[in-house]
Every structure is written in C-alpha cells, then in structure tokens.
Amino acid sequence: MAILDIVTYPDPRLKNPTARVNEINDEIRQIVADMADTMYEAPGVGLAAIQAGIDKSIIIFDPEADKEKRNFSTLINPKITFQEGTMTSENEGCLSVPDFRSNVKRYARVTAEGLDIDGNPLQIHGEDLLSIILQHEIDHLNGILFIDRISALKRQIYRKKRLKALKDE
Ligand code: NI
C-alpha cells in the first residue's frame, strides 16, 4: 500500500499534456496500484497519474468510491471519442484544487476509449457522474483543470485565495 503525494494547483506540472504510455509493464502496474491506494484513501472518484506527479497518460476511476469493494477501472492513453448533450456538474471538485468546488458545464454523455491494464482496448460509455468523471480526468491529461472551465473572475478569486493560503502555510 502506497499513498502518493498529490500535486496541487498552481503546480506547473498540472498544466502540461501528459506522455503516452508505450508499454504496459510492471512499472505501470505498480503506478496504477499506488494510484488506487491514493484515490481510495483521499477519498476520490477519479485520479490522473499527473496528480501524483507522474507524467503518464493514465487515469483510474470508481464512481462508487467504496474502499471495501475497490471496483475501479483503468484507462491508459484515453481519448473522448464521442460526446453529446450538455449538463452542469454540481459542486465539482478535484484533489489537486484544494478548498474549492464549482458547478461546471459538461457534456451529458461521452464515450472514452483507451487501453485497460492488460493492454486490451477498452471503451467506456458514461452518463451522469461517470460522464463528468471521464471528462474531468481526461482533461487532466491535456493539462486542463476544472477551474479552467469556470469564469475567469471565479478562477482569479480562487487563485488569490490559494496563493495566500500557500504563503500562510
Ligand atoms: Ni481532478
């Protein structure tokens, strides 16, 4: 069991597109296992590897976030291949964006495609919470945080508060 340190805003690593995974080996399997430990401990419903400072295109997610069941999915090199409809996520949050939540405009339904932990193609169709999680986590792989999808004014207010909190630490 390894709990990884979470990289938080405004760490510049969260702004960069992540590197593709070329081979799923023991290193990748260990990263995913550690990511799962970290996600359930937080607890969170999704985690991207870059949130632990690991520059790889890997996400995991579990909408139920039940530590006892540990029923999470892994998507490696995922992409959104289909999207339709609109919805507003209520009180969306992120482990890398401490002390802030906001409603965010999202697609209502998406399909994400990538590889599973065994290297097999995996296609996941999500609506409601799963749709939001897929969009949120895949955004991380493109260097986008949910606060990049709210108004500039709200983002500036958060940024000010966050910088002050970091200074006071
Ligand atoms: Ni996040």
Side-chain angles (χ1 to χ4, degrees):
M1 177 123 177
I3 309 294
L4 305 169
D5 286 335
I6 299 284
V7 170
T8 57
Y9 179 85
D11 191 303
R13 286 173 286 182
L14 295 168
K15 294 288 285 179
N16 298 325
T18 52
R20 283 179 67 83
V21 174
N22 294 317
E23 188 197 352
I24 299 170
N25 51 27
D26 285 346
E27 183 203 357
I28 299 296
R29 284 183 281 273
Q30 187 60 53
I31 288 170
V32 168
D34 292 345
M35 284 171 65
D37 291 342
T38 306
M39 178 179 75
Y40 286 109
E41 188 63 26
V45 290
L47 192 73
I50 194 63
Q51 293 184 269
I54 299 164
D55 180 14
K56 294 190 188 303
S57 295
I58 304 171
I59 64 170
I60 63 168
F61 49 92
D62 176 358
E64 292 193 25
D66 185 337
K67 205 174 177 174
E68 304 307 315
K69 287 191 197 148
R70 277 180 79 99
N71 183 28
F72 70 93
S73 300
T74 306
L75 268 182
I76 295 167
N77 302 330
K79 278 210 158 58
I80 303 273
T81 55
F82 173 81
Q83 56 201 29
E84 68 171 7
T86 55
M87 67 181 293
T88 302
S89 66
E90 282 176 33
N91 279 323
E92 194 167 327
C94 177
L95 298 176
S96 295
V97 182
D99 306 317
F100 186 72
R101 288 187 166 269
S102 179
N103 296 354
V104 181
K105 202 173 168 212
R106 294 289 191 186
Y107 293 105
R109 290 166 294 280
V110 300
T111 301
E113 288 180 26
L115 299 176
D116 69 13
I117 192 63
D118 299 313
N120 300 313
L122 178 61
Q123 188 183 72
I124 295 183
H125 185 68
E127 49 185 62
D128 302 320
L129 178 59
L130 181 55
S131 174
I132 295 165
I133 296 171
L134 289 169
Q135 291 169 75
H136 178 118
E137 299 310 329
I138 292 173
D139 267 356
H140 273 299
L141 305 185
N142 294 312
I144 297 167
L145 297 173
F146 81 98
I147 52 173
D148 294 317
R149 297 193 179 281
I150 63 175
S151 77
L153 179 63
K154 276 193 193 164
R155 186 167 55 251
Q156 276 167 21
I157 292 169
Y158 172 69
R159 182 179 172 83
K160 261 192 169 171
K161 267 172 86 175
R162 176 71 184 144
L163 294 179
K164 181 167 188 309
L166 286 170
K167 217 175 128 188
D168 292 347
E169 257 174 22

